[in-house]
């Protein structure tokens, strides 16, 4: 059977199961008290059930296990099978930690320890780690020493896991952005012929799409930490498998795929450092908060961020599949420089770091003023 048929079947099974399971999870959340109450920092105004991540996780697992018995033996290597086991094992730990937080609101330290434990299961339990990196402007991909690969992999998994969690502030936002990132990975996997990544991405995307039926504004259920942490963990591990498929831009590509949550997390850290607040202290300065303050509607804000995420995803696909190998380093450098400049301008315009500090915009204004004076003097 062609691989595409497996992908369609896995997607349909997961999407269907997500549609069927989410109402049951919603009822369970109300029954056990896993609910999100409104407060000054949150956008919603009524008590909402959480635990939606359980439906996404279960739908993904069912879709994947429904496919595995029918796959040809030659389709998955020993490493691929270990990778799938690592994602499921670590993902299970992450979902359990998230579900406990949805019910009991665990401390940030406890959640962080759980994330590190899940990352260690991937690294030490199954031997999955970032083993190859490109040296900028070099001609080859260099192996990473074990003493560096282990902490780098753990840091990558924990960082991505938290990045998705931080943007989970509006109905359908984290699920949609994660879905766009998973779709990007799926498209890249299809182009490059990476069957293991396809087989994991298709049911995961199906689980997200099915859940969005209940999570898009106005939401009937939140994914909670059980969902945002699981999706962040899944994105981290899936993009790591992509390290073995992508060549010169191997490290840049996964950064682009999750560019929205990573950039929002980066600006959140900078904002809290500038304002002398604890890095893990919650605030209302995230991208979605800033767009709402500018007057965009709830749904409009989410769609704008979807568009930004899709732009990052398209850039990742372009960098990995279209750019000629001989010029990839230089194109990568230019693209990243332009993206950083655009991100900084955008951050200053909406005040995501500090509404009174606009160094680049002020510099551009001074340069334009000097250019105008020079033109008039001539």
């Amino acid at each position: 059977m062609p691989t595409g048929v497996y992908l369609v079947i896995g997607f349909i099974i997961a999407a269907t199961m997500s549609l069927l399971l989410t109402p049951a999870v919603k009822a369970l959340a109300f029954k056990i008290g896993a609910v999100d109450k409104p407060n000054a920092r949150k956008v919603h105004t009524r008590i909402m059930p959480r635990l939606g991540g359980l439906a996404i996780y279960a739908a993904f697992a069912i879709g994947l296990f429904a496919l595995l018995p029918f796959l040809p033996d030659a389709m998955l290597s020993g490493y691929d099978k270990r990778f799938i086991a690592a994602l499921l094992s670590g993902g299970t730990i992450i979902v359990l930690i998230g579900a406990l937080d949805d019910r009991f609101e665990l401390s940030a330290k406890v959640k962080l320890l759980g994330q590190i434990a899940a990352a260690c299961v991937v690294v030490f339990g199954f031997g999955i780690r970032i083993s190859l990196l490109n040296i900028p402007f070099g001609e080859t991909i260099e192996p990473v020493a074990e003493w560096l690969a282990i902490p780098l992999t753990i840091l990558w998994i924990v960082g991505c896991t938290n990045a998705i969690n931080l943007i989970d502030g509006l109905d359908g936002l984290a699920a949609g952005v994660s879905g766009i990132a998973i779709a990007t990975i799926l498209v890249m996997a299809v182009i490059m012929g990476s069957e293991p990544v396809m087989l994991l991405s298709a049911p995961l995307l199906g689980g997200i799409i099915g859940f969005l039926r209940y999570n898009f504004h106005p939401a009937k259920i939140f994914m909670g930490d059980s969902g945002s942490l699981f999706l962040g963990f899944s994105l981290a591990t899936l993009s790591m498998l992509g390290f073995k498929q992508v060549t010169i831009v191997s490290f840049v590509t996964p950064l682009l795929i999750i560019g929205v949550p990573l950039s929002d997390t980066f600006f959140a850290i900078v904002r809290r450092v500038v304002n002398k607040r604890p890095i893990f202290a919650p605030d209302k300065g995230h991208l979605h908060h800033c767009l709402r303050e500018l007057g965009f509607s709830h749904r409009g804000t989410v769609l704008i961020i979807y568009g930004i995420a899709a732009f990052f995803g398209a850039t990742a696909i372009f960098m990995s599949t279209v750019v000629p190998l001989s010029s990839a380093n230089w194109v990568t450098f230019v693209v990243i420089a332009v993206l950083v400049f655009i991100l900084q301008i955008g951050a200053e315009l909406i005040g995501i770091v500090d509404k009174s500090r606009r160094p680049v915009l002020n510099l551009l204004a001074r340069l334009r003023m000097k250019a105008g004076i020079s033109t008039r003097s001539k």
Side-chain angles (χ1 to χ4, degrees):
M1 193 185 308
T3 303
V5 176
Y6 291 115
L7 301 185
V8 173
I9 293 173
F11 176 88
I12 292 175
I13 292 174
T16 302
M17 294 307 303
S18 187
L19 285 168
L20 295 175
L21 290 172
T22 302
V25 170
K26 177 184 174 183
L28 174 65
F30 276 124
K31 185 175 183 179
I32 66 175
V35 295
D36 198 340
K37 298 178 181 179
N39 60 35
R41 192 176 62 86
K42 296 176 180 178
V43 176
H44 63 280
T45 57
R46 58 191 175 91
I47 294 176
M48 292 290 294
R50 297 195 279 197
L51 279 181
L54 289 181
I56 298 175
Y57 169 77
F60 161 69
I62 292 171
L64 180 61
F65 282 121
L67 291 179
L68 289 179
F70 302 98
L71 299 180
D73 293 336
M75 183 175 287
L76 298 176
S77 66
Y79 179 88
D80 297 332
K81 293 175 181 177
R82 282 206 333 269
F83 186 90
I84 292 172
L87 192 153
L88 289 171
S89 300
T92 301
I93 295 173
I94 286 290
V95 169
L96 289 175
I97 291 293
L100 288 173
D101 182 66
D102 289 341
R103 173 59 183 88
F104 300 106
E105 296 189 5
L106 305 176
S107 68
K109 291 181 179 179
V110 171
K111 287 194 291 184
L112 181 60
L113 287 174
Q115 295 163 25
I116 293 173
C120 287
V121 166
V122 172
V123 173
F124 298 108
F126 295 91
I128 308 298
R129 62 197 62 168
I130 298 171
S131 56
L132 300 171
L133 278 181
N134 168 248
I135 305 300
F137 302 101
E139 296 298 328
T140 60
I141 296 178
E142 302 294 336
V144 180
E146 187 169 328
W147 65 268
L148 178 60
I150 291 174
L152 182 62
T153 305
I154 293 174
L155 180 63
W156 173 254
I157 293 175
V158 172
C160 292
T161 300
N162 280 287
I164 298 298
N165 188 36
L166 286 175
I167 66 165
D168 187 20
L170 293 178
D171 297 354
L173 181 56
V177 169
S178 299
I180 292 169
I182 293 294
T184 301
I185 292 174
L186 178 58
V187 170
M188 290 172 58
V190 170
I191 292 173
M192 297 181 209
S194 178
E195 292 178 330
V197 180
M198 296 184 223
L199 292 170
L200 288 167
S201 299
L204 183 55
L205 182 59
I208 294 171
I209 297 298
F211 177 73
L212 270 172
R213 164 67 178 78
Y214 304 95
N215 185 236
F216 195 72
H217 185 71
K220 299 177 178 64
I221 184 174
F222 291 162
M223 67 164 59
D225 276 19
S226 56
S228 59
L229 294 179
F230 172 65
L231 291 180
F233 175 85
S234 300
L235 280 168
T237 49
L238 278 173
S239 60
M240 245 181 12
L241 188 58
F243 276 112
K244 304 181 82 65
Q245 309 298 328
V246 182
T247 54
I248 297 299
V249 290
S250 59
F251 192 69
V252 173
T253 301
L255 295 177
L256 289 172
I257 291 171
I258 55 174
V260 169
L262 281 186
S263 58
D264 193 44
T265 301
F266 170 77
F267 283 123
I269 294 172
V270 173
R271 179 175 62 251
R272 290 161 189 172
V273 171
V274 167
N275 296 313
K276 298 180 179 179
R277 297 190 59 188
I279 290 178
F280 293 103
D283 58 27
K284 296 192 72 171
H286 290 284
L287 175 60
H288 54 276
H289 293 127
C290 293
L291 290 174
R292 291 278 284 163
E293 287 180 8
L294 291 176
F296 292 101
S297 67
H298 190 127
R299 187 170 293 195
T301 297
V302 171
L303 292 176
I304 288 171
I305 299 176
Y306 281 4
I308 298 172
F311 172 75
F312 274 111
T315 303
I317 294 171
F318 172 79
M319 293 300 302
S320 299
T321 59
V322 177
V323 177
L325 190 63
S326 58
S327 58
N329 276 314
W330 290 104
V331 174
T332 300
F333 176 78
V334 172
V335 168
I336 294 302
V338 171
L339 286 177
V340 169
F341 180 76
I342 293 173
L343 284 173
Q344 179 61 31
I345 294 294
E348 292 183 15
L349 284 172
I350 66 175
I352 197 171
V353 174
D354 191 317
K355 290 178 171 54
S356 62
R357 300 185 185 186
R358 298 184 169 186
V360 176
L361 287 175
N362 291 337
L363 174 62
L364 292 175
R366 287 195 298 270
L367 292 174
R368 188 171 62 179
M369 186 181 298
K370 288 181 179 179
I373 293 173
S374 175
T375 302
R376 287 195 297 271
S377 66
K378 292 179 180 180

